Amino acid sequence: MLGVLLGVAGFCALVLWNLPAPYNPFAPLELSHEPTFATPLKQRWIAGDPAACRAVMEKEAARKDGISYAHDAIISKREGCGALHALRLLQGKLNYGGGVRLACPAMVSLLLWERHEVMPAAEEVLSSQVKRVLHYGTYSCRNVNNAEEGRRSKHASAAAIDVAGFELRDGRRITVLEDWGKETPEGEFLARVHEGACGLFGGVLGPDYNDRHKDHFHFELSGWGYCR
């Protein structure tokens, strides 16, 4: 019996050893790799390992066409607020007009989403490229729904971003408020990038969730795993 178990373990190890990096859950996460079933596992690991998350960002920044960012720790004396390992995005694949300040794992999720969901969807559905992502901000020391009492929003730990729309290089402007749910290329594009975010963020909310989200998508790192 022991020999059989050792044989099975050896076979499994051999299979893992020969898996391409994007499919190998033990291979380091790379932003250039197309997301696979192993990506969420890798994201969970870097969420609990600041050094591993920094390594992902550093490797991408070292690429010739890579991103640029700055370490920007958010220190707060208010309970439940702040992010010691936060980053400020200086330049991603897309322009955000500034204001993107996120905890490292959330930044990784955002960069995976823009590269592997937003950019391909724009070219395939809209026959254009995204010039700018419109957003309502990231870090904010507040409770959920800005309530006076209750649990902290993921924005309070710099683990969330609210995306309002997109500007295209051909001059079009697409917004969640105006284009969500429409049977148009713009509506199809929004549906696709919303769905794509669900595989890269723990929590995704949009207009179909409630009226508070009628004009934006809320993306956050969360253990709940919801997509609405």
PDB file of all heavy atoms in Angstrom, residues 60-91:
ATOM      1  N   GLU A  60       6.835  42.505 -13.377  1.00  0.00           N
ATOM      2  CA  GLU A  60       6.106  43.168 -14.453  1.00  0.00           C
ATOM      3  C   GLU A  60       6.722  44.531 -14.759  1.00  0.00           C
ATOM      4  O   GLU A  60       6.845  44.929 -15.916  1.00  0.00           O
ATOM      5  CB  GLU A  60       4.641  43.327 -14.064  1.00  0.00           C
ATOM      6  CG  GLU A  60       3.792  44.068 -15.068  1.00  0.00           C
ATOM      7  CD  GLU A  60       3.722  43.394 -16.433  1.00  0.00           C
ATOM      8  OE1 GLU A  60       3.999  42.171 -16.515  1.00  0.00           O
ATOM      9  OE2 GLU A  60       3.403  44.082 -17.422  1.00  0.00           O
ATOM     10  N   ALA A  61       7.117  45.260 -13.726  1.00  0.00           N
ATOM     11  CA  ALA A  61       7.697  46.587 -13.931  1.00  0.00           C
ATOM     12  C   ALA A  61       9.031  46.515 -14.662  1.00  0.00           C
ATOM     13  O   ALA A  61       9.431  47.472 -15.325  1.00  0.00           O
ATOM     14  CB  ALA A  61       7.878  47.283 -12.583  1.00  0.00           C
ATOM     15  N   ALA A  62       9.714  45.380 -14.545  1.00  0.00           N
ATOM     16  CA  ALA A  62      11.018  45.224 -15.185  1.00  0.00           C
ATOM     17  C   ALA A  62      10.903  44.914 -16.677  1.00  0.00           C
ATOM     18  O   ALA A  62      11.894  45.009 -17.404  1.00  0.00           O
ATOM     19  CB  ALA A  62      11.803  44.103 -14.494  1.00  0.00           C
ATOM     20  N   ARG A  63       9.707  44.569 -17.127  1.00  0.00           N
ATOM     21  CA  ARG A  63       9.517  44.281 -18.543  1.00  0.00           C
ATOM     22  C   ARG A  63       9.665  45.549 -19.371  1.00  0.00           C
ATOM     23  O   ARG A  63       9.390  46.658 -18.885  1.00  0.00           O
ATOM     24  CB  ARG A  63       8.133  43.673 -18.786  1.00  0.00           C
ATOM     25  CG  ARG A  63       7.944  42.292 -18.173  1.00  0.00           C
ATOM     26  CD  ARG A  63       6.477  41.895 -18.173  1.00  0.00           C
ATOM     27  NE  ARG A  63       5.921  41.903 -19.511  1.00  0.00           N
ATOM     28  CZ  ARG A  63       5.863  40.832 -20.313  1.00  0.00           C
ATOM     29  NH1 ARG A  63       6.340  39.667 -19.884  1.00  0.00           N
ATOM     30  NH2 ARG A  63       5.344  40.908 -21.516  1.00  0.00           N
ATOM     31  N   LYS A  64      10.057  45.404 -20.607  1.00  0.00           N
ATOM     32  CA  LYS A  64      10.263  46.552 -21.484  1.00  0.00           C
ATOM     33  C   LYS A  64       8.982  47.351 -21.638  1.00  0.00           C
ATOM     34  O   LYS A  64       9.004  48.582 -21.718  1.00  0.00           O
ATOM     35  CB  LYS A  64      10.767  46.078 -22.852  1.00  0.00           C
ATOM     36  CG  LYS A  64      11.162  47.205 -23.783  1.00  0.00           C
ATOM     37  CD  LYS A  64      11.748  46.669 -25.078  1.00  0.00           C
ATOM     38  CE  LYS A  64      12.155  47.805 -26.007  1.00  0.00           C
ATOM     39  NZ  LYS A  64      12.733  47.291 -27.287  1.00  0.00           N
ATOM     40  N   ASP A  65       7.841  46.651 -21.722  1.00  0.00           N
ATOM     41  CA  ASP A  65       6.545  47.319 -21.875  1.00  0.00           C
ATOM     42  C   ASP A  65       5.735  47.220 -20.589  1.00  0.00           C
ATOM     43  O   ASP A  65       4.509  47.217 -20.606  1.00  0.00           O
ATOM     44  CB  ASP A  65       5.763  46.710 -23.033  1.00  0.00           C
ATOM     45  CG  ASP A  65       5.471  45.228 -22.814  1.00  0.00           C
ATOM     46  OD1 ASP A  65       6.132  44.601 -21.951  1.00  0.00           O
ATOM     47  OD2 ASP A  65       4.588  44.684 -23.490  1.00  0.00           O
ATOM     48  N   GLY A  66       6.437  47.128 -19.465  1.00  0.00           N
ATOM     49  CA  GLY A  66       5.763  46.908 -18.197  1.00  0.00           C
ATOM     50  C   GLY A  66       5.113  48.151 -17.609  1.00  0.00           C
ATOM     51  O   GLY A  66       5.155  49.240 -18.173  1.00  0.00           O
ATOM     52  N   ILE A  67       4.518  47.934 -16.442  1.00  0.00           N
ATOM     53  CA  ILE A  67       3.831  49.009 -15.741  1.00  0.00           C
ATOM     54  C   ILE A  67       4.823  49.740 -14.833  1.00  0.00           C
ATOM     55  O   ILE A  67       5.967  49.315 -14.653  1.00  0.00           O
ATOM     56  CB  ILE A  67       2.655  48.452 -14.915  1.00  0.00           C
ATOM     57  CG1 ILE A  67       3.112  47.295 -13.994  1.00  0.00           C
ATOM     58  CG2 ILE A  67       1.591  47.930 -15.839  1.00  0.00           C
ATOM     59  CD1 ILE A  67       3.574  47.689 -12.655  1.00  0.00           C
ATOM     60  N   SER A  68       4.385  50.854 -14.268  1.00  0.00           N
ATOM     61  CA  SER A  68       5.198  51.538 -13.266  1.00  0.00           C
ATOM     62  C   SER A  68       4.312  51.888 -12.080  1.00  0.00           C
ATOM     63  O   SER A  68       3.126  52.186 -12.240  1.00  0.00           O
ATOM     64  CB  SER A  68       5.852  52.805 -13.846  1.00  0.00           C
ATOM     65  OG  SER A  68       4.883  53.728 -14.275  1.00  0.00           O
ATOM     66  N   TYR A  69       4.893  51.823 -10.897  1.00  0.00           N
ATOM     67  CA  TYR A  69       4.121  52.054  -9.674  1.00  0.00           C
ATOM     68  C   TYR A  69       5.069  52.549  -8.588  1.00  0.00           C
ATOM     69  O   TYR A  69       6.292  52.539  -8.734  1.00  0.00           O
ATOM     70  CB  TYR A  69       3.454  50.753  -9.214  1.00  0.00           C
ATOM     71  CG  TYR A  69       4.441  49.689  -8.783  1.00  0.00           C
ATOM     72  CD1 TYR A  69       4.780  49.527  -7.434  1.00  0.00           C
ATOM     73  CD2 TYR A  69       5.059  48.849  -9.709  1.00  0.00           C
ATOM     74  CE1 TYR A  69       5.696  48.570  -7.039  1.00  0.00           C
ATOM     75  CE2 TYR A  69       5.969  47.895  -9.334  1.00  0.00           C
ATOM     76  CZ  TYR A  69       6.289  47.752  -7.994  1.00  0.00           C
ATOM     77  OH  TYR A  69       7.206  46.798  -7.604  1.00  0.00           O
ATOM     78  N   ALA A  70       4.484  52.981  -7.486  1.00  0.00           N
ATOM     79  CA  ALA A  70       5.270  53.430  -6.343  1.00  0.00           C
ATOM     80  C   ALA A  70       4.681  52.829  -5.076  1.00  0.00           C
ATOM     81  O   ALA A  70       3.468  52.637  -4.972  1.00  0.00           O
ATOM     82  CB  ALA A  70       5.254  54.957  -6.248  1.00  0.00           C
ATOM     83  N   HIS A  71       5.535  52.497  -4.134  1.00  0.00           N
ATOM     84  CA  HIS A  71       5.062  52.043  -2.826  1.00  0.00           C
ATOM     85  C   HIS A  71       4.465  53.246  -2.106  1.00  0.00           C
ATOM     86  O   HIS A  71       5.050  54.321  -2.064  1.00  0.00           O
ATOM     87  CB  HIS A  71       6.216  51.444  -2.023  1.00  0.00           C
ATOM     88  CG  HIS A  71       6.776  50.196  -2.632  1.00  0.00           C
ATOM     89  ND1 HIS A  71       6.185  48.964  -2.455  1.00  0.00           N
ATOM     90  CD2 HIS A  71       7.849  49.989  -3.429  1.00  0.00           C
ATOM     91  CE1 HIS A  71       6.877  48.051  -3.120  1.00  0.00           C
ATOM     92  NE2 HIS A  71       7.893  48.647  -3.719  1.00  0.00           N
ATOM     93  N   ASP A  72       3.290  53.057  -1.552  1.00  0.00           N
ATOM     94  CA  ASP A  72       2.566  54.186  -0.968  1.00  0.00           C
ATOM     95  C   ASP A  72       1.724  53.699   0.209  1.00  0.00           C
ATOM     96  O   ASP A  72       0.491  53.598   0.123  1.00  0.00           O
ATOM     97  CB  ASP A  72       1.674  54.833  -2.038  1.00  0.00           C
ATOM     98  CG  ASP A  72       1.085  56.154  -1.585  1.00  0.00           C
ATOM     99  OD1 ASP A  72       1.527  56.678  -0.551  1.00  0.00           O
ATOM    100  OD2 ASP A  72       0.174  56.658  -2.270  1.00  0.00           O
ATOM    101  N   ALA A  73       2.385  53.364   1.295  1.00  0.00           N
ATOM    102  CA  ALA A  73       1.691  52.842   2.477  1.00  0.00           C
ATOM    103  C   ALA A  73       0.648  53.840   2.972  1.00  0.00           C
ATOM    104  O   ALA A  73       0.898  55.047   3.031  1.00  0.00           O
ATOM    105  CB  ALA A  73       2.696  52.542   3.578  1.00  0.00           C
ATOM    106  N   ILE A  74      -0.524  53.323   3.303  1.00  0.00           N
ATOM    107  CA  ILE A  74      -1.605  54.152   3.816  1.00  0.00           C
ATOM    108  C   ILE A  74      -1.707  53.920   5.323  1.00  0.00           C
ATOM    109  O   ILE A  74      -2.086  52.834   5.764  1.00  0.00           O
ATOM    110  CB  ILE A  74      -2.940  53.817   3.136  1.00  0.00           C
ATOM    111  CG1 ILE A  74      -2.816  53.988   1.614  1.00  0.00           C
ATOM    112  CG2 ILE A  74      -4.055  54.691   3.689  1.00  0.00           C
ATOM    113  CD1 ILE A  74      -4.028  53.499   0.845  1.00  0.00           C
ATOM    114  N   ILE A  75      -1.344  54.920   6.079  1.00  0.00           N
ATOM    115  CA  ILE A  75      -1.362  54.813   7.544  1.00  0.00           C
ATOM    116  C   ILE A  75      -2.565  55.580   8.075  1.00  0.00           C
ATOM    117  O   ILE A  75      -2.774  56.742   7.721  1.00  0.00           O
ATOM    118  CB  ILE A  75      -0.068  55.377   8.162  1.00  0.00           C
ATOM    119  CG1 ILE A  75       1.168  54.750   7.490  1.00  0.00           C
ATOM    120  CG2 ILE A  75      -0.047  55.144   9.663  1.00  0.00           C
ATOM    121  CD1 ILE A  75       1.258  53.250   7.632  1.00  0.00           C
ATOM    122  N   SER A  76      -3.361  54.931   8.899  1.00  0.00           N
ATOM    123  CA  SER A  76      -4.536  55.577   9.469  1.00  0.00           C
ATOM    124  C   SER A  76      -4.654  55.208  10.946  1.00  0.00           C
ATOM    125  O   SER A  76      -4.408  54.073  11.329  1.00  0.00           O
ATOM    126  CB  SER A  76      -5.805  55.142   8.723  1.00  0.00           C
ATOM    127  OG  SER A  76      -6.957  55.686   9.351  1.00  0.00           O
ATOM    128  N   LYS A  77      -5.051  56.180  11.755  1.00  0.00           N
ATOM    129  CA  LYS A  77      -5.286  55.936  13.167  1.00  0.00           C
ATOM    130  C   LYS A  77      -6.707  55.444  13.422  1.00  0.00           C
ATOM    131  O   LYS A  77      -7.035  55.046  14.538  1.00  0.00           O
ATOM    132  CB  LYS A  77      -5.024  57.213  13.971  1.00  0.00           C
ATOM    133  CG  LYS A  77      -3.566  57.660  13.956  1.00  0.00           C
ATOM    134  CD  LYS A  77      -3.353  58.912  14.803  1.00  0.00           C
ATOM    135  CE  LYS A  77      -1.892  59.320  14.801  1.00  0.00           C
ATOM    136  NZ  LYS A  77      -1.665  60.543  15.630  1.00  0.00           N
ATOM    137  N   ARG A  78      -7.537  55.476  12.390  1.00  0.00           N
ATOM    138  CA  ARG A  78      -8.921  55.030  12.530  1.00  0.00           C
ATOM    139  C   ARG A  78      -9.002  53.510  12.399  1.00  0.00           C
ATOM    140  O   ARG A  78      -8.365  52.912  11.527  1.00  0.00           O
ATOM    141  CB  ARG A  78      -9.798  55.710  11.482  1.00  0.00           C
ATOM    142  CG  ARG A  78      -9.826  57.226  11.597  1.00  0.00           C
ATOM    143  CD  ARG A  78     -10.642  57.858  10.503  1.00  0.00           C
ATOM    144  NE  ARG A  78     -12.048  57.468  10.586  1.00  0.00           N
ATOM    145  CZ  ARG A  78     -12.968  57.808   9.685  1.00  0.00           C
ATOM    146  NH1 ARG A  78     -12.616  58.550   8.636  1.00  0.00           N
ATOM    147  NH2 ARG A  78     -14.214  57.422   9.809  1.00  0.00           N
ATOM    148  N   GLU A  79      -9.755  52.891  13.268  1.00  0.00           N
ATOM    149  CA  GLU A  79      -9.862  51.439  13.298  1.00  0.00           C
ATOM    150  C   GLU A  79     -10.378  50.888  11.967  1.00  0.00           C
ATOM    151  O   GLU A  79     -11.355  51.380  11.408  1.00  0.00           O
ATOM    152  CB  GLU A  79     -10.800  51.005  14.420  1.00  0.00           C
ATOM    153  CG  GLU A  79     -10.905  49.491  14.574  1.00  0.00           C
ATOM    154  CD  GLU A  79     -11.809  49.086  15.717  1.00  0.00           C
ATOM    155  OE1 GLU A  79     -12.300  49.989  16.434  1.00  0.00           O
ATOM    156  OE2 GLU A  79     -12.038  47.877  15.898  1.00  0.00           O
ATOM    157  N   GLY A  80      -9.686  49.852  11.469  1.00  0.00           N
ATOM    158  CA  GLY A  80     -10.119  49.191  10.248  1.00  0.00           C
ATOM    159  C   GLY A  80      -9.753  49.902   8.972  1.00  0.00           C
ATOM    160  O   GLY A  80     -10.205  49.503   7.887  1.00  0.00           O
ATOM    161  N   CYS A  81      -8.947  50.953   9.072  1.00  0.00           N
ATOM    162  CA  CYS A  81      -8.570  51.703   7.872  1.00  0.00           C
ATOM    163  C   CYS A  81      -7.056  51.645   7.649  1.00  0.00           C
ATOM    164  O   CYS A  81      -6.292  51.438   8.582  1.00  0.00           O
ATOM    165  CB  CYS A  81      -9.005  53.158   7.983  1.00  0.00           C
ATOM    166  SG  CYS A  81     -10.794  53.383   7.978  1.00  0.00           S
ATOM    167  N   GLY A  82      -6.665  51.846   6.407  1.00  0.00           N
ATOM    168  CA  GLY A  82      -5.245  51.866   6.065  1.00  0.00           C
ATOM    169  C   GLY A  82      -4.801  50.593   5.367  1.00  0.00           C
ATOM    170  O   GLY A  82      -5.501  49.578   5.376  1.00  0.00           O
ATOM    171  N   ALA A  83      -3.645  50.661   4.743  1.00  0.00           N
ATOM    172  CA  ALA A  83      -3.073  49.511   4.030  1.00  0.00           C
ATOM    173  C   ALA A  83      -1.560  49.685   3.995  1.00  0.00           C
ATOM    174  O   ALA A  83      -1.041  50.516   3.241  1.00  0.00           O
ATOM    175  CB  ALA A  83      -3.632  49.420   2.614  1.00  0.00           C
ATOM    176  N   LEU A  84      -0.878  48.924   4.806  1.00  0.00           N
ATOM    177  CA  LEU A  84       0.567  49.070   4.947  1.00  0.00           C
ATOM    178  C   LEU A  84       1.311  48.788   3.647  1.00  0.00           C
ATOM    179  O   LEU A  84       2.316  49.433   3.338  1.00  0.00           O
ATOM    180  CB  LEU A  84       1.071  48.132   6.047  1.00  0.00           C
ATOM    181  CG  LEU A  84       2.564  48.205   6.384  1.00  0.00           C
ATOM    182  CD1 LEU A  84       2.941  49.603   6.870  1.00  0.00           C
ATOM    183  CD2 LEU A  84       2.927  47.163   7.447  1.00  0.00           C
ATOM    184  N   HIS A  85       0.809  47.836   2.854  1.00  0.00           N
ATOM    185  CA  HIS A  85       1.515  47.441   1.629  1.00  0.00           C
ATOM    186  C   HIS A  85       0.812  47.978   0.379  1.00  0.00           C
ATOM    187  O   HIS A  85       0.806  47.329  -0.668  1.00  0.00           O
ATOM    188  CB  HIS A  85       1.632  45.919   1.566  1.00  0.00           C
ATOM    189  CG  HIS A  85       2.374  45.324   2.722  1.00  0.00           C
ATOM    190  ND1 HIS A  85       3.736  45.469   2.877  1.00  0.00           N
ATOM    191  CD2 HIS A  85       1.929  44.637   3.800  1.00  0.00           C
ATOM    192  CE1 HIS A  85       4.104  44.868   3.988  1.00  0.00           C
ATOM    193  NE2 HIS A  85       3.039  44.352   4.575  1.00  0.00           N
ATOM    194  N   ALA A  86       0.239  49.156   0.494  1.00  0.00           N
ATOM    195  CA  ALA A  86      -0.462  49.747  -0.650  1.00  0.00           C
ATOM    196  C   ALA A  86       0.525  50.245  -1.706  1.00  0.00           C
ATOM    197  O   ALA A  86       1.677  50.562  -1.415  1.00  0.00           O
ATOM    198  CB  ALA A  86      -1.349  50.894  -0.187  1.00  0.00           C
ATOM    199  N   LEU A  87       0.020  50.322  -2.935  1.00  0.00           N
ATOM    200  CA  LEU A  87       0.798  50.809  -4.070  1.00  0.00           C
ATOM    201  C   LEU A  87       0.008  51.895  -4.788  1.00  0.00           C
ATOM    202  O   LEU A  87      -1.221  51.897  -4.763  1.00  0.00           O
ATOM    203  CB  LEU A  87       1.083  49.674  -5.060  1.00  0.00           C
ATOM    204  CG  LEU A  87       1.743  48.410  -4.508  1.00  0.00           C
ATOM    205  CD1 LEU A  87       1.792  47.345  -5.601  1.00  0.00           C
ATOM    206  CD2 LEU A  87       3.132  48.701  -3.983  1.00  0.00           C
ATOM    207  N   ARG A  88       0.721  52.788  -5.436  1.00  0.00           N
ATOM    208  CA  ARG A  88       0.086  53.800  -6.287  1.00  0.00           C
ATOM    209  C   ARG A  88       0.468  53.494  -7.737  1.00  0.00           C
ATOM    210  O   ARG A  88       1.651  53.403  -8.076  1.00  0.00           O
ATOM    211  CB  ARG A  88       0.550  55.200  -5.911  1.00  0.00           C
ATOM    212  CG  ARG A  88      -0.152  56.303  -6.715  1.00  0.00           C
ATOM    213  CD  ARG A  88       0.385  57.675  -6.345  1.00  0.00           C
ATOM    214  NE  ARG A  88       0.095  57.997  -4.965  1.00  0.00           N
ATOM    215  CZ  ARG A  88      -1.059  58.525  -4.543  1.00  0.00           C
ATOM    216  NH1 ARG A  88      -2.014  58.772  -5.417  1.00  0.00           N
ATOM    217  NH2 ARG A  88      -1.231  58.804  -3.272  1.00  0.00           N
ATOM    218  N   LEU A  89      -0.537  53.317  -8.577  1.00  0.00           N
ATOM    219  CA  LEU A  89      -0.282  53.015  -9.978  1.00  0.00           C
ATOM    220  C   LEU A  89       0.103  54.287 -10.712  1.00  0.00           C
ATOM    221  O   LEU A  89      -0.650  55.258 -10.741  1.00  0.00           O
ATOM    222  CB  LEU A  89      -1.530  52.400 -10.626  1.00  0.00           C
ATOM    223  CG  LEU A  89      -1.371  51.927 -12.066  1.00  0.00           C
ATOM    224  CD1 LEU A  89      -0.361  50.789 -12.168  1.00  0.00           C
ATOM    225  CD2 LEU A  89      -2.719  51.495 -12.625  1.00  0.00           C
ATOM    226  N   LEU A  90       1.282  54.294 -11.301  1.00  0.00           N
ATOM    227  CA  LEU A  90       1.745  55.442 -12.080  1.00  0.00           C
ATOM    228  C   LEU A  90       1.398  55.266 -13.549  1.00  0.00           C
ATOM    229  O   LEU A  90       1.022  56.215 -14.229  1.00  0.00           O
ATOM    230  CB  LEU A  90       3.254  55.622 -11.895  1.00  0.00           C
ATOM    231  CG  LEU A  90       3.721  55.815 -10.443  1.00  0.00           C
ATOM    232  CD1 LEU A  90       5.240  55.924 -10.395  1.00  0.00           C
ATOM    233  CD2 LEU A  90       3.064  57.042  -9.817  1.00  0.00           C
ATOM    234  N   GLN A  91       1.519  54.027 -14.046  1.00  0.00           N
ATOM    235  CA  GLN A  91       1.176  53.750 -15.434  1.00  0.00           C
ATOM    236  C   GLN A  91       0.891  52.271 -15.603  1.00  0.00           C
ATOM    237  O   GLN A  91       1.754  51.432 -15.360  1.00  0.00           O
ATOM    238  CB  GLN A  91       2.298  54.167 -16.386  1.00  0.00           C
ATOM    239  CG  GLN A  91       1.982  53.916 -17.854  1.00  0.00           C
ATOM    240  CD  GLN A  91       0.752  54.696 -18.306  1.00  0.00           C
ATOM    241  OE1 GLN A  91       0.703  55.920 -18.193  1.00  0.00           O
ATOM    242  NE2 GLN A  91      -0.259  54.007 -18.820  1.00  0.00           N
TER     243      GLN A  91
END
